[in-house]
Amino acid sequence: MARQLRLSLGREGPPSFDDFARGPSNADAVAAVQAWPAWRDGCLALVGPKGAGKSHLARAWAEAAGALILDPKTPDVIAAAGRPVLLEDADRGVSTEGLFHLINLAARPGGGLLLTARTLPATWPTALPDLRSRLNALPVAEIGPPDDEVLEGVLRRFFRDRNIRPPAEVYPYLLARMSRSIPDAAEIVRRLDEAGDAGFRPVTRVLARQILDE
């Protein structure tokens, strides 16, 4: 009951630039995304490994820009005309013809296209020569694996979302031992929350050690 109340009180709103944890690993990518609508030809590819925060940053842009979020496999090109568009996982099963048309639409008034992917656009397979040339020319913003500054920021946000205030010593302890992944940070905080409630214990370094050992 107490945990449900904390989650209810701490429920977060839609992604925003303000609550995006920043550090050296993503500073250039954040600046590039926020430079819209000054992207060259209205397009930008946000590229980085899984768990680096691409989706949060992309959806923060979509929220700020009022962008249409499309299914990469079946993008509604007609609905995208004259609007900024977000297409996630563009290197994992995207409609090549749809992507070609979206890139062309992005350069028109009111348009824009943000793509997220784990690999560079120049490596994406396509049998369309015109799309190949456009992919090779796409502006790219690369986001690296989260550094300590970013990971501490997301840990603090995840704890805050659950209305948990751990002692300051918990953060360096976790950072020295956890993997470099934002989803893993979320999982650690979830497990700490559940373990603390189950044993009526505060979230401390001792509990953090127990969770990491498990």
Side-chain angles (χ1 to χ4, degrees):
M1 182 69 71
R3 178 170 174 270
Q4 290 177 349
L5 179 59
R6 286 205 312 274
L7 289 174
S8 178
L9 291 172
R11 188 167 292 147
E12 61 180 62
S16 70
F17 290 123
D18 289 340
D19 64 12
F20 184 76
R22 308 183 188 201
S25 62
N26 61 27
D28 290 344
V30 173
V33 170
Q34 291 188 308
W36 183 84
W39 299 340
R40 188 175 77 239
D41 296 325
C43 294
L44 182 70
L46 179 60
V47 177
K50 179 181 178 181
K54 297 187 302 297
S55 184
H56 184 125
L57 180 56
R59 289 180 181 261
W61 170 81
E63 183 71 18
L68 185 64
I69 302 175
L70 296 182
D71 183 338
K73 296 181 180 178
T74 56
D76 188 342
V77 176
I78 294 177
R83 294 192 59 181
V85 170
L86 169 60
L87 204 68
E88 293 211 70
D89 299 322
D91 57 344
R92 302 170 65 194
V94 70
S95 164
T96 54
E97 290 189 6
L99 180 56
F100 175 74
H101 291 302
L102 290 174
I103 291 174
N104 288 337
L105 287 172
R108 299 181 183 179
L113 178 62
L114 179 60
L115 305 163
T116 69
R118 299 180 190 179
T119 57
L120 294 170
T123 68
W124 303 351
T126 179
L128 298 176
D130 287 343
L131 178 57
R132 173 79 282 143
S133 64
R134 283 164 173 75
L135 292 178
N136 290 344
L138 275 181
V140 173
E142 293 193 64
I143 184 170
D147 51 60
D148 280 0
E149 192 172 333
V150 170
L151 285 175
E152 181 172 345
V154 298
L155 284 170
R156 290 184 181 277
R157 177 164 60 86
F158 292 147
F159 280 124
R160 186 172 63 248
D161 290 344
R162 293 170 178 268
N163 280 301
I164 298 173
R165 297 181 179 180
E169 64 180 11
V170 168
Y171 294 102
Y173 185 83
L174 290 175
L175 291 172
R177 293 161 177 83
M178 64 184 290
S179 64
R180 309 283 92 180
S181 166
I182 293 174
D184 285 351
E187 176 64 11
I188 287 172
V189 172
R190 183 192 67 80
R191 291 176 61 194
L192 283 167
D193 185 13
E194 292 183 349
D197 273 347
F200 300 99
R201 302 167 61 188
V203 174
T204 62
R205 176 173 170 171
V206 173
L207 186 59
R209 178 179 178 180
Q210 175 186 322
I211 291 299
L212 292 178
D213 286 346
E214 291 175 355

